[in-house]
Amino acid sequence: MINVHVPWHSVKYLGMVAGKVKKPGKRGRKPAKIDLKAKLERSRQSARECRARKKLRYQYLEELVSSKERAICALREELDMYKQWCLAMDQGKIPSEIKALLTGDEQKALQSSSNKIPKNGKYGSSGNGQNKTS
């Protein structure tokens, strides 16, 4: 009999150990036979949990989208207000809000703009021409 040296890593790939052919597969103890009904019930429970997680994820994403849309609307209103201010200043008129800010009368500016403050706390107009010019 000829003795041939075969590296250990080659033996694993060949599936041979000490001259015996070994079937590839998992190592260790084989699990006991699991009742088919119990396995199906676990699968159903897992599917229910997966659907519940998916529902929660979609609710979270929908709330996130709606909050971003509200923020976009508020910013658009604010941008419209600034555009109206610029148009008024181009015509040589200074809006009362800007006058109040320039003179340091912040209380007057807050009172004249108090109905224009959206939920996010930033100034914006309601789009109904309430910007006053002098």
Side-chain angles (χ1 to χ4, degrees):
M1 177 170 210
I2 300 175
N3 215 354
V4 179
H5 176 69
V6 179
W8 175 248
H9 64 277
S10 299
V11 172
K12 284 199 288 187
Y13 292 117
L14 293 174
M16 297 176 62
V17 176
K20 295 181 182 177
V21 177
K22 186 176 178 184
K23 294 181 183 176
K26 296 180 184 176
R27 285 203 234 162
R29 223 172 84 170
K30 300 265 183 188
K33 293 282 183 186
I34 299 173
D35 187 23
L36 188 59
K37 287 183 180 181
K39 188 175 181 179
L40 286 173
E41 184 55 38
R42 273 195 321 226
S43 177
R44 289 184 188 119
Q45 180 63 30
S46 177
R48 280 192 288 271
E49 291 170 0
C50 180
R51 286 190 295 270
R53 285 191 304 269
K54 184 177 180 181
K55 184 178 178 182
L56 287 174
R57 185 172 52 248
Y58 273 86
Q59 286 174 348
Y60 166 75
L61 291 173
E62 286 172 356
E63 290 172 6
L64 190 64
V65 166
S66 65
S67 70
K68 299 295 182 185
E69 286 174 345
R70 285 192 301 271
I72 288 170
C73 289
L75 289 170
R76 282 191 178 139
E77 288 178 1
E78 186 178 359
L79 180 63
D80 289 340
M81 179 186 70
Y82 293 142
K83 284 180 181 178
Q84 290 174 2
W85 286 6
C86 289
L87 289 174
M89 287 191 284
D90 287 344
Q91 295 172 357
K93 301 175 184 175
I94 300 175
S96 60
E97 292 91 349
I98 295 178
K99 275 185 184 178
L101 290 173
L102 291 175
T103 59
D105 190 8
E106 294 177 16
Q107 203 64 348
K108 182 180 175 185
L110 290 174
Q111 287 175 352
S112 65
S113 299
S114 64
N115 59 351
K116 301 174 191 172
I117 300 175
K119 290 181 181 177
N120 64 1
K122 296 183 179 182
Y123 289 97
S125 71
S126 59
N128 57 5
Q130 290 183 352
N131 293 336
K132 297 175 185 157
T133 57
S134 56

